[in-house]
Amino acid sequence: MFALTDYGSSATADHVSYVGTSAGDKGGAVTVDANGVVYLTGTTRGTFAGQQRNVQNVDNAFAAAINSDGSVAWTRQYGG
C-alpha cells in the first residue's frame, strides 16, 4: 500500500507498505475508513507472521489493516 500527496504539480509517495507472504497472495478487496486506515482482504498459500495454517496447500483467507502512517496494524489468517 502507499500514500500519495499531490501539491498541484505531481504526486509523490509519502510511504510504501507491504502486506503478504513469500507464497502466492491475491488481493480481494480494499477499503479506507475516515481515519485513513486501509483494510485489505484476499487469499494466500503462505503463512503470515504470527498466524497458523490449518490446512496445507490450500488457499487461506486473510484480512489486514494498515494504519495511515503505513505501519501494519494487524493481520488475520483463516484456514479452510
Side-chain angles (χ1 to χ4, degrees), residues 42-58:
T43 60
T44 184
R45 290 236 169 192
T47 305
F48 283 91
Q51 301 294 299
Q52 296 179 350
R53 294 188 60 80
N54 294 335
V55 180
Q56 296 298 319
N57 302 317
V58 174

Side-chain angles (χ1 to χ4, degrees), residues 15-75:
H15 55 265
V16 177
S17 298
Y18 173 80
V19 175
T21 70
S22 61
D25 304 321
K26 293 181 184 179
V30 175
T31 191
V32 181
D33 72 13
N35 297 316
V37 177
V38 176
Y39 296 94
L40 172 67
T41 64
T43 60
T44 184
R45 290 236 169 192
T47 305
F48 283 91
Q51 301 294 299
Q52 296 179 350
R53 294 188 60 80
N54 294 335
V55 180
Q56 296 298 319
N57 302 317
V58 174
D59 286 345
N60 282 195
F62 74 86
I66 304 169
N67 295 316
S68 61
D69 66 0
S71 63
V72 177
W74 52 263
T75 57

Side-chain angles (χ1 to χ4, degrees), residues 3-16:
L4 294 177
T5 302
D6 185 356
Y7 294 107
S9 60
S10 66
T12 58
D14 289 338
H15 55 265
V16 177

